Amino acid sequence: MGNRAYNFNAGPAALPLEVLQKAQEELVEFKGIGMSIMEISHRSAEFEQVHNETQQLLKQIFSIPDGYQVQFLQGGASTQFAMIPLNFLKPGKVGSYVLTGAWAEKAVQEASLFGEVVIAASSKEQKFMKIPDLSEINIHPDSAYLHLTSNETIEGAQFQSFPDTGNVPLIGDMSSDILSRPVDVSKFGMIYAGAQKNLGPSGVTVVIVKEDLLQDLPKTIPTMLRYEIHSKNNSLYNTPPVYSIYMMNLVLKWIQEQGGLAVVQKNNLEKSGLIYSAIDQSGGFYRGPVDVGSRSAMNITFRLQDEELEKKFIKETEQNGFVGLKGHRSVGGLRASTYNAVPYASCKALAEFMSDFQKRNG
């Protein structure tokens, strides 16, 4: 392979090199059928095998208990922001939301189009730099569900553990940290995630939903926005994003080869630790704005003392083969996204660049 960039993009993001090479090898002809996987019917035996195997792999790797379904949908997590209240926010109930950043805010705005929304806890006053303590989460007695965003990709704050919500279903948007660590799925009524950070390329959205949530859903919802339709049709009601599902299949096998989620988590903490150390040991040259107990292992946000210096940092990283280190346009600053597929070597190179940049500009 030619030189691979040090890819710190926030999403679509780095994919494992081995996965890309396998996909390249199978691109023109899939398993001796004389066609690419992109050319065959989504009703064919060949694709159905990939589709079902991908669900099974996810159940295995994520330790999903019985009584849950895996659905492969389209429209990204952003469509889920509307599907959740459409399906579950019944009259007389409220949607409870934990407000932790830009993505949680979008989920709240969308839900408020369909019914009453209550903020169960918020870190807005802290500029979203700290995840609320679990004890601060007030679940309204009429809650249809409690929704949280496990990792805020833009601000760089992450839940380190999850609340017990009793008989109120807990719904988690895990778009940017799914499969980055083990999670007790049984705490959740539903988990959803766009694929383009830790699961594969963009185009498929994973929904893991407890089967008993799929009873008695309103009949007035448009067909494609009804979970029960996708449930009854094994996510094959219409043409699914075939190639994205196939790629996710390869990514899941790669995670298995790494040794599963405990190993993946250990690797992720080592990788992000390199960059957090560079920030913490810089004597204030670099500043990590997020509260230490809420720091994300996936999206490391940091600042320099002024925007001129930040621009210089970006320019020099780009000249040195680093990609995607500019903070989100809504918050500025710098951000390194260290998803599962970002290699240790890339994080080490960034930490070394940071200390060198500091020596030259400190």
Side-chain angles (χ1 to χ4, degrees):
M1 287 302 292
N3 275 350
R4 296 269 294 158
Y6 297 126
N7 182 355
F8 290 98
N9 277 323
L15 287 161
L17 180 58
E18 301 93 315
V19 165
L20 293 170
Q21 286 167 332
K22 177 77 173 159
Q24 180 183 37
E25 187 188 306
E26 293 185 332
L27 182 70
V28 175
E29 187 175 9
F30 180 69
K31 303 204 166 163
I33 61 173
M35 295 171 283
S36 171
I37 187 117
M38 285 188 276
E39 300 178 283
I40 62 177
S41 166
H42 62 291
R43 310 254 175 237
S44 65
E46 290 85 3
F47 179 68
E48 199 172 14
Q49 195 273 322
V50 169
H51 187 82
N52 292 337
E53 182 186 57
T54 309
Q55 293 175 4
Q56 283 315 117
L57 283 165
L58 189 60
K59 284 180 176 173
Q60 237 173 316
I61 292 165
F62 207 26
S63 307
I64 299 173
D66 290 344
Y68 286 79
Q69 279 187 3
V70 172
Q71 300 185 357
F72 297 142
L73 308 183
Q74 297 184 67
S78 297
T79 298
Q80 293 303 308
F81 296 162
M83 271 179 82
I84 289 162
L86 269 174
N87 283 266
F88 303 133
L89 185 47
K90 297 182 179 156
K93 291 283 192 183
V94 302
S96 289
Y97 283 74
V98 184
L99 185 57
T100 48
W103 290 107
E105 205 148 39
K106 287 190 167 166
V108 167
Q109 283 163 354
E110 206 70 2
S112 57
L113 300 173
F114 302 104
E116 195 188 332
V117 169
V118 170
I119 303 300
S122 170
S123 57
K124 194 165 188 168
E125 287 193 348
Q126 290 81 39
K127 297 199 165 79
F128 301 132
M129 291 299 130
K130 185 181 190 300
I131 295 289
D133 289 334
L134 299 188
S135 59
E136 291 167 15
I137 300 176
N138 281 317
I139 305 175
H140 191 285
D142 299 326
S143 297
Y145 55 81
L146 175 74
H147 179 284
L148 58 76
T149 310
S150 60
N151 182 66
E152 286 285 359
T153 321
I154 290 177
E155 290 85 3
Q158 184 178 31
F159 275 86
Q160 307 303 326
S161 55
F162 298 106
D164 286 310
T165 54
N167 55 7
V168 174
L170 177 60
I171 298 181
D173 174 0
M174 292 194 183
S175 292
S176 52
D177 67 352
I178 193 166
L179 300 194
S180 67
R181 56 183 175 177
V183 164
D184 180 0
V185 175
S186 69
K187 282 190 149 185
F188 291 82
M190 176 175 149
I191 289 169
Y192 65 99
Q196 64 275 12
K197 305 184 193 294
N198 261 335
L199 295 173
S202 64
V204 62
T205 303
V206 169
V207 167
I208 300 161
V209 62
K210 214 169 184 177
E211 282 162 6
D212 60 14
L213 281 185
L214 302 177
Q215 313 304 318
D216 310 319
L217 298 181
K219 295 285 174 263
T220 51
I221 307 168
T223 307
M224 284 301 292
L225 300 177
R226 285 160 63 180
Y227 291 116
E228 62 180 323
I229 289 287
H230 299 295
S231 162
K232 285 179 183 144
N233 292 279
N234 188 27
S235 304
L236 296 167
Y237 177 78
N238 73 337
T239 311
V242 169
Y243 199 71
S244 298
I245 293 168
Y246 156 77
M247 287 288 287
M248 181 162 59
N249 182 286
L250 299 184
V251 170
L252 292 170
K253 286 174 178 165
W254 176 82
I255 289 175
Q256 260 184 343
E257 282 157 23
Q258 304 306 298
L261 296 190
V263 176
V264 163
Q265 179 179 36
K266 181 176 163 288
N267 294 344
N268 285 335
L269 292 173
E270 281 173 9
K271 286 170 2 191
S272 58
L274 289 170
I275 300 164
Y276 280 123
S277 292
I279 294 167
D280 294 340
Q281 291 165 14
S282 71
F285 182 79
Y286 298 105
R287 292 192 320 280
V290 176
D291 176 78
V292 172
S294 301
R295 280 177 166 179
S296 170
M298 296 284 100
N299 309 100
I300 301 163
T301 51
F302 57 104
R303 305 286 325 217
L304 291 166
Q305 47 260 56
D306 59 60
E307 284 184 19
E308 281 314 298
L309 201 53
E310 288 177 351
K311 279 182 189 148
K312 187 177 181 194
F313 182 92
I314 293 291
K315 196 175 161 202
E316 287 193 22
T317 55
E318 284 169 355
Q319 288 162 350
N320 284 280
F322 293 91
V323 176
L325 289 167
K326 210 175 185 163
H328 190 271
R329 59 186 183 279
S330 63
V331 294
L334 303 158
R335 169 176 61 173
S337 295
T338 52
Y339 302 123
N340 291 352
V342 174
Y344 182 87
S346 298
C347 298
K348 191 165 184 291
L350 177 58
E352 286 166 1
F353 174 85
M354 286 167 73
S355 87
D356 179 58
F357 184 84
Q358 181 180 353
K359 281 190 191 110
R360 289 182 287 110
N361 296 277

